[in-house]
Amino acid sequence: MATEGKVVQIMGPVIDIAFPPDQLPEIYNAIEIPLDAQTVAALGEAATGSRLARKNADGSAAPLSSDDTAQGMRVVAEVQQHLGNDWVRCVAMSTTDGLRRGMAAFDTGAPISVPVGPGTLGRIFNVLGDAIDEAGPVTYEKRYDIHRASPAYEDITTEARMFETGIKIIDLVGPFTEGGKVGLFGGAGTGKTVTLTELIHNVAQERQGYSVFCGVGERSREGNDLRHELTEGGVIDKTAMVFGQMNEPPGARLRVALTGMAIAEYFRDEEKRDVLIFIDNIFRYVQAGSEVSALLGRMPSAVGYQPTLASEMGQLQERIVSTRNGSITSVQAIFVPADDYTDPAPAAVFAHLDATLALDRGRFAAGLFPAFDPLNCSSRILDPNIVGEEHYQTATDVKRILQQYKDLQDIIAILGTEELSEDQKLTVGRARRLERFLTQPMFTAEVFTNVPGEYVSIKETVRGCREIIDGKHDTLPEQAFYLTGNIDQVVEKAKQMQA
Amino acid sequence: MVLRAEEISSIIRKEIEGFDQPMRSVNVGTVVEIGDGVAQVYGLGNVMASELVRFTRTGVIGLAFNLAEETVGVITLGPYAAIEEGDEVEATGTISSVPVGDAMVGRVVNTLGEPLDGKGPIETTQRRPLEVIAPGVVYRKGVDTPVQTGIKAIDSMIPVGRGQRELIIGDRQTGKTAVAVDTIINQKGTGVICIYVAIGQKTSQVVQVQGILEQYGAMEHTIIVAATASDPAPLQYLAPYAGCAIGEYFMHQGKDALIVYDDLSKHAAAYRQVSLIIRRPPGREAYPGDVFYLHSRLLERAARLDDAYGGGSLTALPIIETQANDISAYIPTNVISITDGQIFLEPDLFNAGIRPAINVGFSVSRVGGAAQTKAMKQVAGRLKLDLAQFRELAAFAQFGSDLDKATQNQINRGLRITEVLKQPQYQPLSVAQQVTILYAVSNGYLDAVPVDKVRAYEVGFHQYMASAQKPLLDSITTEKKISDANLEALKQAVLQFNQTMTF
């Protein structure tokens, strides 16, 4: 019999509940608060959360099934603190509108748990592990608690093998590690999600392994787009999706990454597979934490963030790791608020990553897509012993030339290119050609550019850059390098332009 | 006087029989503290979170937001100066909501849905809650129908689809409201219901917008929700949710609606005020931690519903006012990260005579391309990329004299395209008109026209097309694409017109 408590305080997403003495739920236990008839009546259609009634042909609303209402008609909250006097403080996973003091709350005796295993593939879940794709019940044999310890020291393995993404600029200056962690940093609207979708297109479709996509506090529309993308690519049945998007209250956004991780961990630990996990966007996890932090009674830290920012991030990030059982390769998008890389939230993520790629607003405005700034991209494995001398040297040379161009830009802005020495003019010309060569039409961005996508192998990328650095293509018009695939296509395009 | 017992008892009996007052439990409390629009109320034992309450003596409505063990924090949604300690407060049993319905169309209302335009009461029967969780992932459908703004630069390069959220951002006096108003005007006759939410603006400006909409016959499909600068901050904070609820009514009817939030910077400021007064700790720029959620939960409610759920749509055009052109400030980047793109207006361009003053490089539409008509895609597919590259090149090459021919051509073309994309206010163009002029300029038929004559050329061109080539325009409008035959006809038409022009 579940212990029954009573709601005593409601402050936005934070609820205090009194339990009988000595029967307090443990921290992280899930508490269920069933909505009563009065609340449901007052909430009207808001009572079913983000679920909608299907419309009949004549436009009238079809009644919700009991399955629909069962999900909507309860509020699940997670215990965060014991306050003394038999009160516990909880964060609600859904809206608390309509709750009253005195309502009954039941301790479920365990943390939030979610279905794991093959039955999750092709399905869409919310933070509670409820399927939200209107595709019937999920078949599963096991549920995992969303709170799990990170793997033991002795089980962790690291590998140093590159895997190719087919995106020139990423493979060249920020190569991905098999089983490693990659961060895509970017301010608002600089192309994080498009790049992530392109990676799913290129990587998930090439590989045989399973993928988990975790949408944290991003647009709901994108979840829908992604589902179609995966269906078209034929990989939907190898992907599990978990969404706690920006329409959801902070509790859901705070815990949904853990839900995604639990599903991925099952594949790693029990099926011993290599898993890809995409998280869009890890910043929202921190943000959700800061939304509830003050209400939990914590003092604000720098820029109003929660004092526990670094340890919260550590707890999550340390679970995203490869073990002797299997690997987890993660790609995480990180929003940079106000384009400020020193903001505590993005700064806290840097340390956890094997490769970091930074998107730049200036490049975006100049139409250089994907708008990564090569000078701000780095990877742990960009090392001649791992990627090979040729790749390493080319990447270094590309960075050197772009840095020289950057240094000259102030002079050009004031005096124009005429005042440069011949050598400098040559450097500028090559830098501009390299910049353009490193742009790439993407499969998933065809709607924006109207140019069909290109996959370029790392060999081709290195060869192309090397030839440009060596001055083989100094005479081709810059435009020919823009949004093309490999260097042969550039030469071909130049011929057409000059004809 | 004689008292007759039977008469009295019959009266009493009658009274008792006639008494069918139902049992009514009233949930009441007492004000213990009031200041800055926030009251602490003792009692209200059974009140729900976000329930509306009424201050019995003054009739002012309030919102229960903080339910502590002993007291309830209430935000007042009206004049609070007359509320006193000890006043009675009663719960209403309704979650914060607004009246919605077809009768709202053509009216000006406040946050609570009460009419402000002096045209009498609004007859509605339904209410919708201010706050609902936006439809989830599977209830949505990709954007596939355009919202025509009638503005060349937007429809061609930053297209907006029904159900999209497109931010209009820029400094003050750069024409943000003008873009929104033009769009509302251009929805005339399309069946799209428009809602204009004014937040924290001066009342005279709202009256002016109403006047313009009336002048162009656009008030007939428009609802204005106004929470002006003199309204209490909580009303300003809730106004967009009210507007959204009114719009959602139409969306759930399977209709298309468009909502303009003018503007969300003031909305954030109003929320900051409320939030600081209720002692939530400040974060970046003193905004509370959940200022992102404030806007995300609002803008996520704009959606295109899947056909199984009625297929309606709510398109949102939020407006953000930047300071000193800084789009990478806190609130602007927050909202940019929520919306499906932004239209960035720049004072430099505005002053240089480029109106609408759209900075093409920073403006983007992430989904609208899917909604663009085929005809527009045919002529404007690469326009944005070309223009961005032209800007970059023009800046780089401004001192260079030894430019190769390809570069020179690119710059010349770019200058003319920029000129063609200028457009006066309140003069929306049809798709066919936009397509034909863009075809002419992007295919080089204007290369010989001096840059300062391009505007005149365009005016003449539209007149010529409307008079001499009407069937061609109609054909493009109905086919929604340019067939091979029409392409040839269009080319001939342009050449023919060019012959009549002398420079």
Side-chain angles (χ1 to χ4, degrees):
Chain A
M1 183 64 202
T3 316
E4 185 180 331
K6 288 261 178 282
V7 175
V8 282
Q9 290 204 111
I10 304 163
M11 294 155 294
V14 172
I15 308 172
D16 289 351
I17 303 171
F19 278 92
D22 302 324
Q23 294 184 45
L24 257 60
E26 285 173 36
I27 289 197
Y28 292 152
N29 269 13
I31 309 290
E32 289 200 5
I33 307 168
L35 301 187
D36 55 23
Q38 185 194 345
T39 305
V40 171
L43 283 172
E45 62 190 279
T48 54
S50 65
R51 302 173 72 83
L52 288 182
R54 197 169 270 273
K55 289 268 158 102
N56 292 325
D58 62 355
S60 63
L64 289 162
S65 69
S66 60
D67 176 49
D68 288 330
T69 45
Q71 281 184 27
M73 303 299 177
R74 73 189 206 271
V75 170
V76 174
E78 188 189 270
V79 179
Q80 300 293 320
Q81 293 164 351
H82 287 189
L83 298 174
N85 293 327
D86 303 319
W87 283 23
V88 296
R89 183 156 283 176
C90 313
V91 171
M93 297 293 133
S94 50
T95 178
T96 57
D97 281 4
L99 293 191
R100 280 171 287 119
R101 288 165 298 173
M103 279 176 120
F106 299 93
D107 175 17
T108 61
I112 295 169
S113 67
V114 298
V116 292
T120 60
L121 297 169
R123 301 301 302 269
I124 305 179
F125 298 94
N126 67 6
V127 63
L128 303 174
D130 296 329
I132 51 166
D133 51 6
E134 304 280 341
V138 181
T139 50
Y140 62 91
E141 289 173 3
K142 231 178 188 171
R143 290 180 82 97
Y144 266 16
D145 291 347
I146 62 167
H147 291 278
R148 299 169 59 79
S150 50
Y153 183 88
E154 55 177 25
D155 289 332
I156 292 172
T157 58
T158 61
E159 235 181 314
R161 194 152 47 85
M162 173 183 165
F163 85 82
E164 190 177 277
T165 64
I167 299 173
K168 288 185 275 190
I169 193 163
I170 294 180
D171 286 344
L172 185 72
V173 293
F176 284 16
T177 324
E178 195 79 59
K181 299 158 86 168
V182 185
L184 303 174
F185 290 82
T190 49
K192 288 181 301 296
T193 299
V194 173
T195 313
L196 203 70
T197 325
E198 182 75 0
L199 285 169
I200 293 172
H201 179 275
N202 286 4
V203 180
Q205 298 188 9
E206 294 298 312
R207 292 161 67 102
Q208 288 309 304
Y210 290 161
S211 310
V212 176
F213 184 93
C214 196
V216 188
E218 283 297 303
R219 304 177 186 93
S220 306
R221 170 187 63 74
E222 283 165 358
N224 193 31
D225 294 353
L226 179 82
R227 188 164 68 123
H228 289 298
E229 177 74 28
L230 292 172
T231 311
E232 275 168 33
V235 288
I236 187 100
D237 50 1
K238 285 196 275 178
T239 311
M241 281 159 284
V242 186
F243 289 110
Q245 296 295 50
M246 58 169 73
N247 57 336
E248 307 245 11
R253 288 174 278 134
L254 182 67
R255 290 295 173 240
V256 70
L258 306 184
T259 303
M261 272 315 296
I263 293 175
E265 280 165 337
Y266 174 86
F267 291 128
R268 178 191 66 192
D269 296 344
E270 306 216 9
E271 296 202 358
K272 312 220 184 299
R273 287 176 178 273
D274 294 334
V275 189
L276 265 171
I277 182 163
F278 297 92
I279 303 177
D280 186 11
N281 181 306
I282 201 81
F283 168 79
R284 306 290 180 206
Y285 164 72
V286 177
Q287 189 174 44
S290 87
E291 284 173 34
V292 295
S293 175
L295 296 171
L296 291 173
R298 301 191 193 123
M299 294 281 256
S301 179
V303 206
Y305 282 107
Q306 61 272 43
T308 50
L309 193 162
S311 58
E312 271 176 21
M313 182 56 73
Q315 274 168 16
L316 171 64
Q317 291 286 358
E318 287 294 289
R319 284 172 65 181
I320 315 175
V321 67
S322 298
T323 68
R324 283 191 245 176
N325 290 328
S327 76
I328 292 187
T329 307
S330 72
V331 183
Q332 313 176 7
I334 301 127
F335 174 75
V336 181
D339 284 10
D340 178 5
Y341 278 87
T342 65
D343 185 275
V349 190
F350 272 112
H352 293 282
L353 301 170
D354 294 312
T356 55
L357 297 154
L359 289 154
D360 181 69
R361 194 175 294 281
R363 277 167 190 275
F364 186 87
L368 300 172
F369 309 120
F372 291 108
D373 177 2
L375 298 175
N376 258 329
C377 294
S378 62
S379 168
R380 190 174 59 80
I381 61 160
L382 192 58
D383 176 316
N385 296 320
I386 298 166
V387 295
E389 187 63 39
E390 175 75 8
H391 180 168
Y392 175 75
Q393 200 52 47
T394 307
T396 315
D397 287 346
V398 166
K399 281 194 176 186
R400 178 174 50 78
I401 291 177
L402 292 177
Q403 183 63 48
Q404 283 169 346
Y405 175 41
K406 193 177 167 190
D407 296 341
L408 288 170
Q409 253 159 1
D410 288 344
I411 302 175
I412 297 170
I414 300 164
L415 301 169
T417 44
E418 299 300 286
E419 298 301 314
L420 300 178
S421 73
E422 284 307 311
D423 265 6
Q424 286 171 331
K425 275 187 194 165
L426 209 58
T427 306
V428 170
R430 283 180 195 163
R432 288 178 63 83
R433 282 173 179 79
L434 277 172
E435 267 183 349
R436 276 155 190 72
F437 180 62
L438 290 175
T439 64
Q440 189 165 346
M442 304 222 252
F443 295 96
T444 48
E446 197 180 326
V447 285
F448 309 112
T449 58
N450 289 300
V451 185
E454 291 280 352
Y455 183 100
V456 183
S457 71
I458 176 63
K459 238 174 152 177
E460 284 295 312
T461 305
V462 171
R463 179 172 70 95
C465 292
R466 177 50 55 196
E467 288 183 8
I468 296 169
I469 296 164
D470 291 345
K472 263 181 90 174
H473 303 293
D474 286 350
T475 54
L476 302 184
E478 281 175 13
Q479 271 308 299
F481 293 82
Y482 184 60
L483 290 187
T484 43
N486 64 24
I487 196 75
D488 299 333
Q489 287 169 290
V490 172
V491 175
E492 190 57 35
K493 194 171 162 193
K495 266 191 203 145
Q496 282 172 11
M497 288 176 74
Q498 283 162 333
Chain B
M1 189 178 173
V2 186
L3 280 175
R4 279 187 300 180
E6 62 270 32
E7 191 177 320
I8 293 173
S9 67
S10 88
I11 289 173
I12 292 174
R13 196 168 292 126
K14 222 164 156 190
E15 282 287 311
I16 292 172
E17 276 165 10
F19 185 85
D20 65 341
Q21 185 81 21
M23 269 279 279
R24 194 168 71 96
S25 80
V26 187
N27 196 0
V28 292
T30 316
V31 175
V32 286
E33 220 183 286
I34 173 91
D36 294 327
V38 174
Q40 294 297 330
V41 178
Y42 181 82
L44 284 174
N46 212 23
V47 74
M48 291 180 282
S50 293
E51 184 174 340
L52 290 179
V53 297
R54 184 180 294 108
F55 292 85
T56 318
R57 192 170 55 81
T58 55
V60 171
I61 298 287
L63 177 67
F65 71 92
N66 231 9
L67 309 188
E69 190 186 15
E70 300 285 324
T71 59
V72 176
V74 174
I75 308 179
T76 56
L77 304 176
Y80 61 86
I83 299 170
E84 290 170 4
E85 185 185 335
D87 276 6
E88 190 188 79
V89 184
E90 59 183 42
T92 62
T94 34
I95 298 285
S96 54
S97 59
V98 279
V100 296
D102 295 322
M104 305 284 284
V105 178
R107 304 298 300 268
V108 182
V109 297
N110 67 8
T111 303
L112 301 172
E114 298 158 351
L116 296 174
D117 53 7
K119 292 181 187 164
I122 301 173
E123 301 294 332
T124 55
T125 51
Q126 288 192 47
R127 294 182 76 87
R128 281 188 64 86
L130 288 187
E131 300 261 12
V132 293
I133 300 268
V137 172
V138 292
Y139 310 100
R140 294 168 184 250
K141 189 175 134 183
V143 164
D144 59 4
T145 316
V147 173
Q148 298 292 349
T149 63
I151 300 167
K152 279 174 287 188
I154 295 176
D155 287 347
S156 64
M157 294 184 291
I158 322 155
V160 181
R162 289 185 184 177
Q164 185 176 346
R165 293 82 46 89
E166 183 78 11
L167 171 67
I168 302 170
I169 183 169
D171 275 13
R172 69 196 138 76
Q173 297 301 323
T174 49
K176 298 184 298 297
T177 305
V179 168
V181 168
D182 267 358
T183 308
I184 292 178
I185 292 172
N186 204 42
Q187 301 314 308
K188 200 176 163 181
T190 60
V192 177
I193 307 287
C194 300
I195 299 137
Y196 178 83
V197 185
I199 309 148
Q201 294 181 22
K202 57 177 194 273
T203 313
S204 63
Q205 198 167 344
V206 183
V207 174
Q208 193 192 349
V209 167
Q210 188 196 353
I212 293 167
L213 292 177
E214 270 166 3
Q215 189 187 335
Y216 289 91
M219 209 45 214
E220 288 148 30
H221 61 261
T222 305
I223 302 161
I224 294 180
V225 180
T228 56
S230 60
D231 284 324
L235 279 183
Q236 294 182 34
Y237 146 54
L238 291 172
Y241 300 99
C244 190
I246 293 169
E248 274 173 333
Y249 165 80
F250 297 105
M251 174 170 78
H252 288 295
Q253 297 263 306
K255 294 180 188 162
D256 295 303
L258 175 125
I259 186 161
V260 175
Y261 302 110
D262 193 1
D263 66 81
L264 291 187
S265 316
K266 295 194 184 72
H267 179 231
Y271 182 62
R272 174 169 62 185
Q273 178 182 335
V274 173
S275 182
L276 289 175
I277 287 170
I278 62 177
R279 311 196 73 80
R280 298 213 170 142
R284 188 179 271 266
E285 293 179 22
Y287 289 105
D290 60 347
V291 72
F292 171 80
Y293 185 47
L294 171 80
H295 289 148
S296 72
R297 68 177 192 262
L298 171 70
L299 292 169
E300 284 281 280
R301 287 161 69 179
R304 175 75 202 265
L305 294 183
D306 197 81
D307 293 335
Y309 302 94
S313 74
L314 180 64
T315 311
L317 297 178
I319 293 177
I320 286 279
E321 185 175 295
T322 52
Q323 303 295 333
N325 231 355
D326 182 12
I327 55 168
S328 50
Y330 185 44
I331 298 298
T333 50
N334 265 353
V335 180
I336 289 173
S337 73
I338 299 165
T339 54
D340 304 313
Q342 68 275 356
I343 296 166
F344 180 36
L345 303 165
E346 241 182 3
D348 290 358
L349 295 173
F350 190 84
N351 295 335
I354 298 175
R355 293 179 199 179
I358 297 172
N359 177 326
V360 178
F362 281 119
S363 300
V364 64
S365 170
R366 294 175 212 193
V367 290
Q372 225 172 8
T373 53
K374 181 106 193 307
M376 188 58 93
K377 271 194 193 147
Q378 280 172 293
V379 297
R382 284 190 53 121
L383 197 59
K384 186 167 185 295
L385 281 184
D386 287 347
L387 215 52
Q389 287 279 298
F390 154 71
R391 290 268 164 77
E392 201 269 346
L393 200 63
F396 178 74
Q398 56 184 329
F399 297 99
S401 49
D402 55 346
L403 297 175
D404 58 58
K405 189 130 194 322
T407 312
Q408 267 173 14
N409 283 345
Q410 207 185 351
I411 292 180
N412 282 335
R413 185 78 51 82
L415 286 172
R416 282 164 183 80
I417 293 175
T418 310
E419 208 53 35
V420 162
L421 292 176
K422 291 183 184 173
Q423 190 170 344
Q425 219 180 330
Y426 313 133
Q427 291 182 18
L429 293 176
S430 71
V431 181
Q433 283 175 312
Q434 296 186 25
V435 165
T436 49
I437 185 69
L438 289 171
Y439 168 83
V441 69
S442 54
N443 285 288
Y445 296 112
L446 268 72
D447 285 0
V449 182
V451 173
D452 58 347
K453 294 280 196 312
V454 169
R455 291 290 314 138
Y457 176 98
E458 191 190 342
V459 173
F461 180 77
H462 287 316
Q463 279 168 0
Y464 163 77
M465 291 299 286
S467 57
Q469 302 286 345
K470 186 119 197 334
L472 178 59
L473 283 182
D474 291 344
S475 163
I476 293 173
T477 309
T478 49
E479 286 180 22
K480 294 200 164 119
K481 59 172 188 152
I482 316 177
S483 60
D484 289 346
N486 277 345
L487 198 65
E488 187 54 33
L490 182 54
K491 185 177 166 188
Q492 292 309 325
V494 176
L495 287 174
Q496 219 168 23
F497 176 69
N498 275 1
Q499 279 171 0
T500 68
M501 291 293 282
T502 48
F503 306 108

